[in-house]
Amino acid sequence: MTWGKPLIWLILIKLFVMFAILRVFFPDFLASKGDTEEEQQDYIVEQFVERSTP
């Protein structure tokens, strides 16, 4: 089983790229939509309703 360790390292590198580097390019969008969690939830509900109606 010569592919085990390289595959594990490849998976770990991909996870690092997904969660660390891409987070820089896609910041927390909801942080700017409200101060509290309730305001953020209200914003999400409004967007769902607005986008679901034709």
Side-chain angles (χ1 to χ4, degrees):
M1 185 139 150
T2 60
W3 288 96
K5 286 186 180 181
L7 280 177
I8 289 174
W9 281 109
L10 182 65
I11 291 169
L12 291 175
I13 291 171
K14 282 185 170 185
L15 286 174
F16 175 76
V17 168
M18 284 174 33
F19 291 112
I21 296 176
L22 289 178
R23 189 163 179 91
V24 172
F25 297 108
F26 299 102
D28 189 10
F29 181 72
L30 287 178
S32 63
K33 299 301 177 189
D35 294 331
T36 65
E37 187 174 329
E38 186 175 315
E39 290 175 349
Q40 292 174 357
Q41 291 171 357
D42 290 340
Y43 174 77
I44 292 172
V45 170
E46 288 173 12
Q47 291 301 311
F48 276 138
V49 170
E50 184 178 302
R51 293 178 186 195
S52 66
T53 55

